[in-house]
Amino acid sequence: TKLIDYKGLTTANTIDEKSLEYTFDCELSDLVKKVGPNYVIKAGRLVGGQLILNEEEMEREVDVHMNFPRGYEYVIDITIPEGYEVKGLSNFTNDIDNETGSLKSVATLEGNILTLTFNKYYKHNYEPAKNWDKMKAFLIPGGEFLTKEILLKKKRS
């Protein structure tokens, strides 16, 4: 991946700026693969690092202590080139919400703009070990999101 251009929109340094917003253009050779006349985009990886539980972490006997409750919100716009249609949008849909946290994600297409929205929230800074299955309910799909791909299929002329 090579960064081509970057522009900060808001810094979230003041009470009026509630979030950090920026835009950038980059070369995504690691995330885009040409397959015949089509392209596969590993779009789920655009949300950055997510917790991926390994087999040993599936069971837990120790309570979960975190520094603070927190949320991650990503809105990613991808411009689809003319002459291509998008397949696989439903792969990005999640709607999980319980007493420990939530994961809501969706991919939508409006005109030629594909928008990925990914929101993950940890509701508390402490969870008893008995709530681990409830946490896994949103943590596991959050990690799986990284594997989600879309297909840009060349339209037939």
Side-chain angles (χ1 to χ4, degrees):
T1 305
K2 177 182 174 187
L3 183 64
I4 298 169
D5 184 37
Y6 171 90
K7 184 187 311 177
L9 303 175
T10 63
T11 59
N13 287 336
T14 69
I15 199 162
D16 295 331
E17 296 179 341
K18 294 184 178 15
S19 62
L20 171 65
E21 295 180 26
Y22 56 91
T23 182
F24 62 90
D25 294 323
C26 59
E27 179 185 304
L28 298 174
S29 55
D30 295 346
L31 300 177
V32 180
K33 181 176 169 184
K34 188 164 176 54
V35 181
N38 307 316
Y39 292 91
V40 174
I41 301 175
K42 298 175 184 179
R45 290 175 59 191
L46 294 171
V47 299
Q50 295 298 314
L51 180 62
I52 298 173
L53 300 174
N54 62 39
E55 198 170 317
E56 294 112 30
E57 295 171 310
M58 289 299 163
E59 301 301 321
R60 188 176 184 106
E61 296 177 13
V62 178
D63 295 341
V64 179
H65 295 272
M66 298 170 279
N67 291 336
F68 44 82
R70 62 200 180 279
Y72 301 93
E73 299 180 357
Y74 298 88
V75 178
I76 301 162
D77 290 334
I78 301 171
T79 302
I80 305 303
E82 190 175 322
Y84 287 88
E85 59 184 321
V86 179
K87 301 287 185 182
L89 295 182
S90 63
N91 295 333
F92 293 86
T93 302
N94 286 292
D95 190 359
I96 301 141
D97 192 357
N98 63 45
E99 68 188 79
T100 64
S102 66
L103 173 68
K104 294 183 191 272
S105 62
V106 68
T108 57
L109 185 64
E110 203 168 308
N112 71 332
I113 303 296
L114 168 65
T115 301
L116 297 177
T117 305
F118 179 92
N119 299 314
K120 183 166 86 171
Y121 300 99
Y122 296 81
K123 294 182 178 178
H124 310 106
N125 66 328
Y126 165 80
E127 292 293 347
K130 69 182 174 100
N131 283 351
W132 184 237
D133 284 342
K134 292 176 183 175
M135 290 189 74
K136 289 191 309 185
F138 72 91
L139 293 174
I140 291 171
E144 291 172 347
F145 194 87
L146 298 173
T147 68
K148 304 300 180 187
E149 300 174 335
I150 58 166
L151 172 67
L152 297 186
K153 186 175 180 179
K154 183 79 169 166
K155 292 181 184 176
R156 296 179 190 214
S157 9

